[in-house]
Amino acid sequence: MFDLSDHVSIVTGGNGGLGLAYCRGLVKCGAKVAVWGRNEAKNTEAIAELREMGGDVEAFQCDVTDEASIAAAFAQTLERFEKVDSCFANAGGAGFRGMSHQVGRQAWLNAIDLNLMSVVQTWAPVTEHMLAQKIPGRLIVTSSIAARAGSGGAAGYSTTKAAVIGLVQALGVELGQAGIRVNAIMPGFIETEMSLDTSQAFQDAAHRRSAIGRIGELEDMEGIAVFLASRQSDFMTGQGVVLDGGASVFPL
């Protein structure tokens, strides 16, 4: 059912963490993958791993906060793969930490640039390509359960991850009749470098709140990437899919 042969995906931040997990799932189902990442060394390592799995993959250096860098990476992707069927806007970051009223305007603007405008800028040329080529494409963004639950001391992260849900809903309406589906993945606590760069108390709470008795592993993210990239998700758009081991419904 989930055969992605002849499918081409872009995964921003695909050289590590959640992005690399998406790439693994896509490659396992036959997709060709363009990894966009800033760190050349990490790009090289990721590509080596994915090719060892049999993947037809390429890495392109890209800073998703820079429109010129995005344009160059997209042109290189088309030159290499000729088309794009899905784009995972995964690159982003935690942003500032601290009391929101104390961090200042620039810290807020940086968070917006990193986690919201990067998605808008990444999807712009991809959407134009899909519309021009009449590709029933897939736009997927990595949001977070923090978009719903909030995250004290990291208001910029929660706010921008909520903002991309609004973007997904709006673009789902805008692009639906063109055959383009737009959805968000909303992970809970998954073992990544970013999530483990938190307090022990926070990590302990994540374990306690899991309805299934464990926190998320990177392998848990592979299937949702494949589903949202595939035609099996054709009746789904404008949605945020929560993957949190039931933490958001588990009573304290």
Side-chain angles (χ1 to χ4, degrees):
M1 179 180 289
F2 295 105
D3 181 4
L4 294 178
S5 300
D6 197 41
H7 184 104
V8 178
S9 288
I10 292 171
V11 182
T12 71
N15 58 12
L18 299 180
L20 183 53
Y22 300 156
C23 291
R24 292 180 186 123
L26 294 166
V27 163
K28 287 177 182 178
C29 289
K32 302 172 184 177
V33 179
V35 173
W36 290 11
R38 289 185 301 177
N39 188 311
E40 286 194 72
K42 288 182 66 177
N43 286 351
T44 299
E45 291 177 8
I47 290 302
E49 177 188 332
L50 295 169
R51 285 178 176 163
E52 184 69 22
M53 294 170 58
D56 184 356
V57 297
E58 199 67 68
F60 304 100
Q61 191 170 23
C62 182
D63 178 351
V64 293
T65 65
D66 184 318
E67 286 185 291
S69 182
I70 291 169
F74 187 63
Q76 292 171 320
T77 299
L78 287 185
E79 183 177 359
R80 171 68 167 80
F81 294 110
E82 298 183 347
K83 65 167 184 166
V84 174
D85 296 289
S86 64
C87 179
F88 290 77
N90 168 71
F96 65 78
R97 287 181 177 164
M99 298 295 286
S100 61
H101 66 286
Q102 295 177 335
V103 297
R105 174 183 172 82
Q106 192 57 53
W108 275 97
L109 292 176
N110 290 345
I112 292 167
D113 202 31
L114 180 63
N115 288 333
L116 174 59
M117 290 311 301
S118 66
V119 180
V120 173
Q121 293 172 168
T122 296
W123 280 352
V126 176
T127 301
E128 187 173 349
H129 166 73
M130 290 175 174
L131 291 172
Q133 300 301 318
K134 294 182 170 53
I135 295 171
R138 301 290 188 265
L139 303 177
I140 303 104
V141 62
T142 301
S143 179
S144 170
I145 195 62
R148 293 184 181 176
S151 182
Y157 182 75
S158 293
T159 301
T160 52
K161 291 302 185 180
V164 296
I165 298 297
L167 177 66
V168 160
Q169 293 170 341
L171 294 188
V173 174
E174 281 188 16
L175 301 173
Q177 293 195 29
I180 299 172
R181 305 295 181 251
V182 190
N183 292 292
I185 300 172
M186 302 176 69
F189 194 96
I190 312 294
E191 286 190 314
T192 65
E193 286 184 20
M194 190 176 82
S195 64
L196 294 176
D197 185 25
T198 54
S199 70
Q200 190 59 52
F202 183 85
Q203 294 179 41
D204 291 344
H207 280 85
R208 288 196 305 271
R209 289 188 61 87
S210 173
I212 62 173
R214 66 173 179 85
I215 60 173
E217 300 171 356
L218 289 175
E219 190 174 290
D220 294 319
M221 308 305 295
E222 295 180 10
I224 190 63
V226 171
F227 171 69
L228 292 177
S230 75
R231 294 302 299 270
Q232 276 65 47
S233 62
D234 201 50
F235 198 56
M236 181 178 189
T237 198
Q239 303 302 309
V241 183
V242 175
L243 279 87
D244 69 349
S248 55
V249 298
F250 191 64
L252 290 174

